[in-house]
Amino acid sequence: RSEESEYTPSDAAQRGLTGSGTVTLPTRGSYNTNEYTVELLAPIFGGDFTLPFVRMLELDGAYRVVENSIAGKEDVWGAGLRWEVVGGVTLRASKSRNFRAPTLNQLFAPSSTALGSITQNPCDADRINSGPNPAVRRANCEALFAANPGWGPLADFQDPGENFANAMVTSGGNAELKNEVSETLTYGVVLQPGFVPGLTVVVDRIEVELEDGLSAFAPQNFLATCFDSSPMPTDVCSQFTFNALGQVATARSTTFNAGTVRYEGEVYNVNYAFPIDRFITTAGDLGRLELGAELTHTSLFET
């Protein structure tokens, strides 16, 4: 598969004569993807071939190689199991490695630079003791100010870029993006009791760990990730610069492969389908009625 995108702004926009006066340059980009896939479904027990407590057992699997000319190569796979223990009781489980490639817009969105606000500077006096790990944030800010004594005292530092459009913010695509990758584990049970025809109860546990998440990052996200990390990540901290007073001078707003996401939870589903005349006696056919309810419980959601 090949995809390409091209954006040509008007002549006035390229000269900075429209809107806020920001110069918008033409941009174009493309990528191609080759994918190779194999899938397998293996029924082991079922039909006339059963064992005690194994009325049905089947395995399924899939393997795919993806070669993206920009985001790189990924090997993704999935494996699943369905086991009908007795009539109306089926256990199931699956594990997979999945991915999502960056889109053309995330890669090649037009780039423009204009004065903007950074919203939050972690080293501000009223923010330095906050964040997910205040001790790490304070230590990083103190080290940076110690290395730049001309910036003045950290104790009463305030960056006016939090409230005013003082920083030159560059917005646009990021051609250095990688694939977003996750590993997913699910397991659960499907109940279809014979004494209540039409009733299905499903309970599934879901666990997901995602890396290099494709996230929209504004200047405050780059700043927080830089100062709240130990050690300070060079690729993140290089997305902004400071002026002679320690205030943010330039910053970036783009899509970034950011950190991890962990999710754990359960999904409960109850479905009951039945002919109405099972409960209401009448001369005519009243058709069927289906009732359903679903509940999702999140036990962990961490970014």
Side-chain angles (χ1 to χ4, degrees), residues 111-134:
S111 177
S112 61
T113 303
L115 285 170
S117 168
I118 61 169
T119 307
Q120 294 185 5
N121 187 325
C123 294
D124 267 18
D126 56 347
R127 302 191 190 279
I128 194 171
N129 292 316
S130 58
N133 193 332

Side-chain angles (χ1 to χ4, degrees), residues 160-182:
E162 286 200 341
N163 301 306
F164 302 98
N166 284 11
M168 296 299 294
V169 179
T170 300
S171 303
N174 181 0
E176 298 178 355
L177 291 174
K178 300 180 294 183
N179 292 325
E180 174 183 278
V181 179
S182 68

Side-chain angles (χ1 to χ4, degrees), residues 20-183:
S20 62
T22 302
V23 174
T24 303
L25 300 177
T27 185
R28 64 180 303 169
S30 64
Y31 67 80
N32 61 77
T33 297
N34 295 319
E35 303 186 11
Y36 311 90
T37 304
V38 60
E39 298 184 6
L40 171 70
L41 176 61
I44 300 173
F45 294 99
D48 296 329
F49 184 47
T50 64
L51 292 175
F53 302 109
V54 188
R55 291 192 50 165
M56 182 272 292
L57 180 65
E58 66 179 27
L59 302 174
D60 65 83
Y63 181 78
R64 178 164 49 149
V65 178
V66 181
E67 298 175 349
N68 185 294
S69 60
I70 291 180
K73 179 182 177 181
E74 293 292 347
D75 297 305
V76 294
W77 52 268
L81 167 73
R82 285 179 58 86
W83 172 22
E84 186 177 358
V85 184
V86 295
V89 179
T90 301
L91 305 179
R92 60 185 184 181
S94 67
K95 185 174 178 61
S96 62
R97 185 177 191 270
N98 314 286
F99 88 106
R100 181 165 70 101
T103 66
L104 283 170
N105 187 61
Q106 291 172 328
L107 290 165
F108 305 118
S111 177
S112 61
T113 303
L115 285 170
S117 168
I118 61 169
T119 307
Q120 294 185 5
N121 187 325
C123 294
D124 267 18
D126 56 347
R127 302 191 190 279
I128 194 171
N129 292 316
S130 58
N133 193 332
V136 169
R137 175 178 291 192
R138 172 172 282 278
N140 287 334
C141 291
E142 289 176 345
L144 185 63
F145 271 71
N148 296 274
W151 289 3
L154 177 61
D156 55 359
F157 175 73
Q158 294 287 331
D159 191 330
E162 286 200 341
N163 301 306
F164 302 98
N166 284 11
M168 296 299 294
V169 179
T170 300
S171 303
N174 181 0
E176 298 178 355
L177 291 174
K178 300 180 294 183
N179 292 325
E180 174 183 278
V181 179
S182 68
E183 290 193 0

Side-chain angles (χ1 to χ4, degrees), residues 7-18 22-26:
Y7 176 69
T8 305
S10 66
D11 185 65
Q14 294 186 49
R15 295 170 180 267
L17 303 177
T18 61
T22 302
V23 174
T24 303
L25 300 177

Side-chain angles (χ1 to χ4, degrees), residues 123-269:
C123 294
D124 267 18
D126 56 347
R127 302 191 190 279
I128 194 171
N129 292 316
S130 58
N133 193 332
V136 169
R137 175 178 291 192
R138 172 172 282 278
N140 287 334
C141 291
E142 289 176 345
L144 185 63
F145 271 71
N148 296 274
W151 289 3
L154 177 61
D156 55 359
F157 175 73
Q158 294 287 331
D159 191 330
E162 286 200 341
N163 301 306
F164 302 98
N166 284 11
M168 296 299 294
V169 179
T170 300
S171 303
N174 181 0
E176 298 178 355
L177 291 174
K178 300 180 294 183
N179 292 325
E180 174 183 278
V181 179
S182 68
E183 290 193 0
T184 302
L185 172 66
T186 66
Y187 52 91
V189 59
V190 180
L191 303 176
Q192 296 174 304
F195 55 85
V196 186
L199 176 65
T200 301
V201 179
V202 179
V203 180
D204 283 314
R205 170 75 172 179
I206 302 171
E207 300 178 2
V208 180
E209 290 194 15
L210 183 147
E211 296 181 348
D212 293 328
L214 293 165
S215 306
F217 255 43
Q220 65 266 29
N221 303 120
F222 284 114
L223 285 159
T225 304
C226 174
F227 285 97
D228 290 337
S229 302
S230 181
M232 298 172 74
T234 303
D235 58 339
V236 176
C237 299
S238 64
Q239 304 298 319
F240 49 86
T241 63
F242 302 97
N243 61 21
L245 300 177
Q247 303 161 1
V248 176
T250 65
R252 192 178 182 192
S253 180
T254 188
T255 303
F256 197 74
N257 288 110
T260 63
V261 176
R262 292 181 60 206
Y263 173 85
E264 296 180 5
E266 303 84 38
V267 177
Y268 305 86
N269 185 285

